[in-house]
Amino acid sequence: MLTRAAGLVAAFLAGLALVVAAVLVVRHLTAPSEPELPVVPEARRPVVESAVRTCTPLSVPLLAAQIDAESGWRPDADSGHAQGISQFSPVTWKEWGQDGDGDGRANIWEPRDAIPSQARYMCHLYEVVKVVPGGKTTSGATRLALAAYNAGPNAVLRARGIPKILETQDYVDKILKDLLPKYQESEEKYQQSEAKHTSSASASPSVSSSTSPSADPSATASGASPSATRRP
């Protein structure tokens, strides 16, 4: 009798465990997943990190957010008015496009040319908008410089602020309110990951290629925005 009761208890507990496991699986599958953060494509990171050193206001998250809004990181993006990963108009490219990859020509379709040119142009726009109300504060200058990149600096100067152009207003808001916070979080996680990797690598003991005390120390193992019309 006791053996039968013990068997019933064991069967009940096993069934209960299966029910609990099933509930947990369903809850996991139906729970809203955390949205994936955008990241700087690995192939573009060196040129972006180099480009942001052009002037103080620029940062990796800001330039990345702008490129994302412009072209979605596509080097072949063509809105009909602007081209390439940084969406320069032919007129603006003629003035600001420069050879960044050292092949002797400025190619609007080459990210290693376009992204540094984008950074230089943005730095110029930061200077231009200083005469506009709000242009001397960091946040105000960024909003105005982005607006000038999209609508042209003359439009911003005439409006004494962000022009009343819906596409320009949406462009600025998309970058600053949507994309920039995500890239800031993404970049923070990337830097933390890199710091852990560096710390782990530096903590690992180096392995000598020879156990001999007289061994030579040198032998130690060692991403298109159709709105970007770029009016000059």
Side-chain angles (χ1 to χ4, degrees), residues 66-169:
Q66 187 181 18
I67 294 171
D68 195 325
E70 289 290 350
S71 65
W73 296 97
R74 288 172 41 226
D76 62 346
D78 189 346
S79 71
H81 300 285
Q83 301 169 325
I85 196 169
S86 298
Q87 287 291 277
F88 277 96
S89 71
V91 172
T92 308
W93 181 257
K94 186 175 181 180
E95 180 178 0
W96 289 97
Q98 294 188 18
D99 174 24
D101 60 2
D103 68 353
R105 69 190 188 102
N107 183 357
I108 199 171
W109 304 107
E110 171 53 63
R112 291 172 297 174
D113 292 348
I115 294 175
S117 298
Q118 173 187 350
R120 283 190 290 270
Y121 186 41
M122 279 294 291
C123 291
H124 166 72
L125 295 174
Y126 269 104
E127 292 298 317
V128 170
V129 302
K130 282 183 178 180
V131 301
V132 178
K136 292 185 179 180
T137 66
T138 302
S139 59
T142 298
R143 289 182 61 83
L144 292 167
L146 289 171
Y149 192 94
N150 178 266
N154 289 335
V156 172
L157 293 175
R158 285 194 300 267
R160 302 290 291 165
I162 297 179
K164 293 182 179 179
I165 303 172
L166 183 58
E167 70 173 39
T168 300
Q169 295 169 347

Side-chain angles (χ1 to χ4, degrees), residues 10-84:
F12 172 78
L13 292 176
L16 181 61
L18 288 174
V19 170
V20 171
V23 169
L24 291 175
V25 169
V26 171
R27 181 177 296 178
H28 174 73
L29 293 175
T30 58
S33 59
E34 185 175 331
E36 187 175 348
L37 293 172
V39 296
V40 177
E42 199 61 34
R44 307 296 174 223
R45 177 166 288 279
V47 68
V48 170
E49 290 182 344
S50 175
V52 300
R53 292 194 286 268
T54 305
C55 65
T56 303
L58 296 182
S59 67
V60 169
L62 177 60
L63 204 63
Q66 187 181 18
I67 294 171
D68 195 325
E70 289 290 350
S71 65
W73 296 97
R74 288 172 41 226
D76 62 346
D78 189 346
S79 71
H81 300 285
Q83 301 169 325

Side-chain angles (χ1 to χ4, degrees), residues 171-189:
Y171 171 82
V172 173
D173 285 345
K174 179 179 181 180
I175 292 173
L176 296 183
K177 294 181 180 180
D178 179 26
L179 293 172
L180 180 58
K182 293 176 182 177
Y183 273 103
Q184 286 172 330
E185 185 178 351
S186 170
E187 188 64 15
E188 183 178 351
K189 290 184 177 182

Side-chain angles (χ1 to χ4, degrees), residues 190-209:
Y190 173 83
Q191 294 301 335
Q192 289 173 350
S193 175
E194 286 296 293
K196 288 181 181 178
H197 177 75
T198 302
S199 176
S200 175
S202 62
S204 300
S206 59
V207 180
S208 173
S209 61

